[in-house]
Amino acid sequence: MTTNKLIKKIAIAGVVCVTLLNSGCNKDLLNTTPPGAIASGNMWKTDNLTDLGVDGVYSALRLGINTGAASGRELYQYDRFVTSQVRDADPFLSGNATSSNGMFSDVWKDLYEGIHRANDGITNIPLQSPSSPEKKARYVAELKFLRAYFYFRLNQLYKGVPVYLEITDVSAMNKPRETEAQVWDVIVKDLTDCINETNLPDKYAKGDAKFGHVTKGAAYALRGKAYLYQQKWDLAIADFAKVRQAGFSLFGNYFELFRPANEQCDEMIFSIQNKGLSGFGSTTQFFTGTRSSFGSCWNTYLIAPDLVDSYENADGSPFKWDDVIPGYSSKSITQREVYFFRNNLTDAEKQTITKRGVDLTDYLPDGNEQRIRKAYTNRDPRLEQNVITPYATYLGRQIEGADRTFTSRWPHRNENLPTLDLTTDTRTFFYYLHRKFVYLGSTELPDRASGPTDFPLIRFGDVLLMWAEALNESGKTAEAIPLVNEVRKRAGVALLNSSAATTVNGQADLRERIRHERRAEFPNEGISYFDEMRWKTWKQTVFYPGNGVKQIWGFVVSPYLWQGDYIYNWAIPQQEVQMNSSLQQNPGWVD
């Protein structure tokens, strides 16, 4: 791309207003000076404007990012429905979502905005752009991928939507919904066109000026996932194999994979490109970090205790609290808090604790911290790489001129020297905190809402586990196991079939093991919610009796309520139904 500026095009009275956002292009070349307004009829009529127009389609991947408050629409924020939890009430979890909920309409608008931008480019680049034939062909293939991606996201949630493949005036957007299967056909066709384009490369190497653009590897991965949703196992298997053949592979170190230095490694197939400038970066730090991260970040999204408990021991056996603290499970939930207190409680702290009904008989003044730490050692290493656990440390912000190492302790005292307690917005409660995509020290993060690390939309670890799932579901269980083991080996946890605890007992057993592996592998990546929706397991995984937003030992702060199986399909936004009488609402949803 000649210039890697990023635009957003908004048609107003025949004028395209061009404003700077961010793109899927090489972020090091981003020009952060906004160009002026360009008449819509001239948008694609120079090579430079063609580049800008394509960047504007990529920028739609960033719609939903809000640096003032968590929008709930960024992919990592969807994890609040499964492996994470949100500190504030959420209608999807408390059982009172309606078709008028802003989440339904905002996501709908974001994704259709991306589609309409892609349609503009797909139509006008061949007709108007003076760029070389090879470049134009590559760009059209990239935009077909992006259009397929936006329709993919819509179909995941709403299960059948109106399809627009040409430039369409708002007044003419009155089509009825296509079926879910018909939308999958549209997605597959666009991705097939993308794959068949000879000017599109298999992948871009690290440092390539075009890194961040769509590749054949990305198209094979997304088409394979579309086939997975349709349970077309053999087609999915073939596409996932093509991703490896394109040159993608696992990065060697799970924790380092998510550090800025490795955002262009061979595992990253397609990512949202971020830059450490206000308005151009990631918000993961802002909403999953802590006060100790930057001094003013919000821990809006927390780690669910169920995820922590699900991580296996390093030998592949299930973790059990009673193996660490005999009798733990027989204690009341209120009484379990005693095991999480810091050493050397003050008399005032003890008085406060006993007033809320906790018996301190089992408290160890000089060994409480050491005892509870044993629950988090010799576990799947991804536990501590994804989660800040009790009495674990975190390299955070500067105090008195130096980056400081903070410790997660309960009850919280203060953040200052010499105590250095990890400080949160919710320090009157004790929660597990995110570690993945939370920056270290003061040098990685210039702005709390502008993390520079790219956010992966497709990575090879996901491809391997989807590939294993397709093989297992097609009856090829023995062929699936080595793919799961590639992920487990990188993680540092015992391989399947290496012990009695890890022995795979048939297809159904491996199905559950793959599902476990995906939950363990992808916290804070925006994958787990869509998995549970696809498997139809969200209810049993999250909405079992007694679950809710929980403190570390299981005390429910806010209970969850399942409002009905119909929430597996999102509501068509009520305002869209009112504007387009051809739209039929999904069953069960009422205003």
Side-chain angles (χ1 to χ4, degrees), residues 136-408:
K136 290 195 292 185
R138 176 170 60 83
Y139 273 169
V140 169
E142 290 181 25
L143 299 190
K144 285 190 173 183
F145 173 94
L146 292 171
R147 182 170 68 182
Y149 175 80
F150 296 130
Y151 273 121
F152 188 102
R153 292 275 311 281
L154 284 166
N155 220 28
Q156 283 180 302
L157 296 169
Y158 302 97
K159 312 294 174 57
V161 295
V163 171
Y164 299 93
L165 300 177
E166 301 85 23
I167 300 172
T168 307
D169 187 84
V170 173
S171 63
M173 293 179 63
N174 52 14
K175 288 186 177 183
R177 298 169 63 186
E178 302 289 346
T179 66
E180 182 181 359
Q182 288 169 327
V183 178
W184 287 128
D185 289 343
V186 169
I187 293 165
V188 167
K189 184 181 185 306
D190 267 354
L191 294 171
T192 300
D193 289 348
C194 185
I195 289 165
N196 290 338
E197 176 49 61
T198 57
N199 291 289
L200 193 72
D202 287 347
K203 71 187 293 286
Y204 290 110
K206 180 178 181 178
D208 192 298
K210 296 185 181 68
F211 192 96
H213 283 258
V214 171
T215 62
K216 276 188 170 67
Y220 275 120
L222 188 59
R223 191 175 72 172
K225 193 168 186 176
Y227 286 140
L228 191 77
Y229 265 81
Q230 299 174 83
Q231 300 184 2
K232 296 180 178 179
W233 309 122
D234 290 342
L235 292 172
I237 290 164
D239 274 0
F240 294 142
K242 286 287 190 180
V243 179
R244 195 198 293 272
Q245 292 171 21
F248 294 96
S249 60
L250 285 183
F251 184 72
N253 183 295
Y254 180 82
F255 180 73
E256 293 298 327
L257 172 64
F258 306 102
R259 310 315 305 167
N262 300 309
E263 62 189 5
Q264 292 188 5
C265 71
D266 285 341
E267 182 159 353
M268 299 305 187
I269 298 171
F270 186 62
S271 302
I272 296 176
Q273 305 295 290
N274 290 314
K275 191 173 181 68
L277 293 174
S278 181
F280 297 87
S282 167
T283 65
T284 55
Q285 171 82 11
F286 196 175
F287 301 121
T288 65
T290 66
R291 296 291 178 182
S292 298
S293 305
F294 192 77
S296 58
C297 293
W298 303 341
N299 52 294
T300 303
Y301 301 104
L302 311 154
I303 290 282
D306 287 0
L307 174 66
V308 173
D309 292 352
S310 74
Y311 277 101
E312 298 169 348
N313 295 315
D315 64 5
S317 62
F319 169 74
K320 298 177 182 178
W321 276 104
D322 287 344
D323 291 342
V324 179
I325 303 174
Y328 180 90
S329 62
S330 65
K331 299 283 188 181
S332 69
I333 291 175
T334 297
Q335 186 55 35
R336 292 174 192 171
E337 184 183 0
V338 70
Y339 301 112
F340 295 87
F341 293 129
R342 64 197 302 156
N343 290 350
N344 301 311
L345 289 172
T346 66
D347 289 341
E349 287 169 338
K350 291 178 181 178
Q351 185 176 20
T352 299
I353 289 165
T354 56
K355 281 183 178 179
R356 63 174 180 260
V358 180
D359 184 350
L360 290 174
T361 301
D362 292 333
Y363 174 66
L364 303 177
D366 298 315
N368 225 49
E369 297 176 16
Q370 294 84 342
R371 177 175 58 189
I372 202 63
R373 281 302 306 158
K374 292 178 183 177
Y376 306 103
T377 57
N378 297 317
R379 302 277 295 277
D380 180 336
R382 288 172 295 189
L383 167 57
E384 295 264 52
Q385 291 165 353
N386 281 308
V387 185
I388 299 175
T389 56
Y391 306 98
T393 58
Y394 165 71
L395 179 64
R397 70 183 183 91
Q398 287 192 355
I399 292 181
E400 296 184 15
D403 289 353
R404 301 298 178 179
T405 297
F406 299 88
T407 301
S408 179

